[in-house]
Amino acid sequence: MSERLRLGVNIDHVATVRNARGGLYPDPVRAAREALAAGADGITAHLREDRRHISDGDIDGLSALLNAEARPLNLEMAVTQEMLAIALHHRPHAVCLVPEKREERTTEGGLDVVGGHNWITPFVGRLNEAGSRVSLFIGADPAQIEAAYRTGAAVVELHTGAYCDAVREGRPEEAEAELASLSAGAALATSLGLEVHAGHGIDYETVAAVAAIPQVMELNIGHFLIGEAIFVGLGPAIARMRALMDEGREIAA
Ligand code: PXP
């Protein structure tokens, strides 16, 4: 179970910086290339409905790069017909379905697969048929995990935001409870045959504990790495994250 944990680097916020001025700089495709060279196993990008960071052109460029390098692109997207058409056009290696509200600053909670089961399941079917590996971004709630399994998705990505916030904001008991819930959720999902990923809000302080959950196969990390890249460069930031992930994994083994 404790195979090498994969790191997906989310390059959305390179596009956020670019968009602050318009134009082409800094280029998320260049960031993706550097992230792969620095040890990322794949690249994650969220094409939001309001295109606040990643653009359609970025997805064209990222698809071309990742296809050429034979590395996985994980396209995060809302469960809408517009996004489905884009995913079916590009057929990325993976698609992670996420909830999206225009007024939120980031993806604040997991997808409600229990309530949205009848809406979400046909999207999973279409994406499966197109050959993309579908992941549902959910909280570590047993009802959501079981509903995710029933959609036919191969993967669940567990939302680590509440755990990471509790650590950063100095609420150790809550952090411990959130971590226990992530561990139990990962075990349940694996017992159903789902692959488990995790992400949101992860930084150097929180990565080892998440990496230590043996069923977790992939972490998707963005905002902290792009922020840290301002101070140390993208390559060194990714290399340090990679090392901390590996240390967390070793402790668990
Ligand atoms: N995983 C999913 C499904 C996300 O929506 C995000 C944020 O776009 C991330 C991982 C990465 O989160 P962060 O940028 O906080 O590291």
Side-chain angles (χ1 to χ4, degrees), residues 10 12-13 44 46 48 53 76 96-98 106-107 137 157 198-202 220-225:
N10 180 318
D12 291 350
H13 296 300
T44 294
H46 185 174
R48 292 189 72 105
H53 37 56
E76 294 178 354
C96 182
L97 298 177
V98 301
T106 179
T107 314
F137 187 47
E157 179 162 330
H200 210 280
I202 293 175
N220 285 300
I221 308 179
H223 182 265
F224 177 81
L225 282 175

Side-chain angles (χ1 to χ4, degrees), residues 73-97:
L73 172 64
N74 175 29
L75 174 65
E76 294 178 354
M77 59 177 231
V79 192
T80 66
Q81 295 298 343
E82 183 205 5
M83 290 298 150
L84 178 64
I86 292 168
L88 293 178
H89 172 70
H90 287 288
R91 296 171 180 248
H93 167 82
V95 171
C96 182
L97 298 177

Side-chain angles (χ1 to χ4, degrees), residues 23-236:
L24 300 174
Y25 185 84
D27 177 10
V29 178
R30 176 177 168 197
R33 198 177 295 113
E34 297 213 358
L36 293 173
D41 297 287
I43 299 298
T44 294
H46 185 174
L47 184 66
R48 292 189 72 105
E49 289 185 89
D50 61 8
R51 309 301 197 270
R52 71 176 68 158
H53 37 56
I54 292 294
S55 67
D56 297 68
D58 292 331
I59 297 295
D60 294 340
L62 290 168
S63 289
L65 171 71
L66 289 150
N67 286 337
E69 302 268 332
R71 305 293 278 278
L73 172 64
N74 175 29
L75 174 65
E76 294 178 354
M77 59 177 231
V79 192
T80 66
Q81 295 298 343
E82 183 205 5
M83 290 298 150
L84 178 64
I86 292 168
L88 293 178
H89 172 70
H90 287 288
R91 296 171 180 248
H93 167 82
V95 171
C96 182
L97 298 177
V98 301
E100 210 175 285
K101 289 191 229 104
R102 273 172 200 258
E103 64 276 16
E104 70 189 358
R105 262 185 292 181
T106 179
T107 314
E108 280 162 8
L111 205 54
D112 177 11
V113 193
V114 174
H117 194 268
N118 293 347
W119 172 248
I120 294 166
T121 300
F123 281 78
V124 174
R126 297 284 304 279
L127 291 162
N128 280 344
E129 277 163 28
S132 292
R133 203 163 160 73
V134 183
S135 163
L136 303 183
F137 187 47
I138 56 174
D141 166 5
Q144 295 294 346
I145 293 166
E146 280 157 15
Y149 166 70
R150 289 195 300 274
T151 65
V155 181
V156 284
E157 179 162 330
L158 300 181
H159 197 309
T160 51
Y163 165 67
C164 295
D165 285 348
V167 171
R168 251 189 308 279
E169 291 161 17
R171 288 178 271 116
E173 283 170 18
E174 197 181 317
E176 206 177 306
E178 289 294 345
L179 194 59
S181 154
L182 288 166
S183 287
L188 171 63
T190 304
S191 75
L192 294 170
L194 291 160
E195 182 173 310
V196 181
H197 300 174
H200 210 280
I202 293 175
D203 61 10
Y204 292 151
E205 197 183 353
T206 47
V207 71
V210 180
I213 300 172
Q215 296 89 353
V216 174
M217 293 293 154
E218 177 176 308
L219 300 182
N220 285 300
I221 308 179
H223 182 265
F224 177 81
L225 282 175
I226 304 306
E228 197 59 13
I230 292 170
F231 303 107
V232 301
L234 189 55

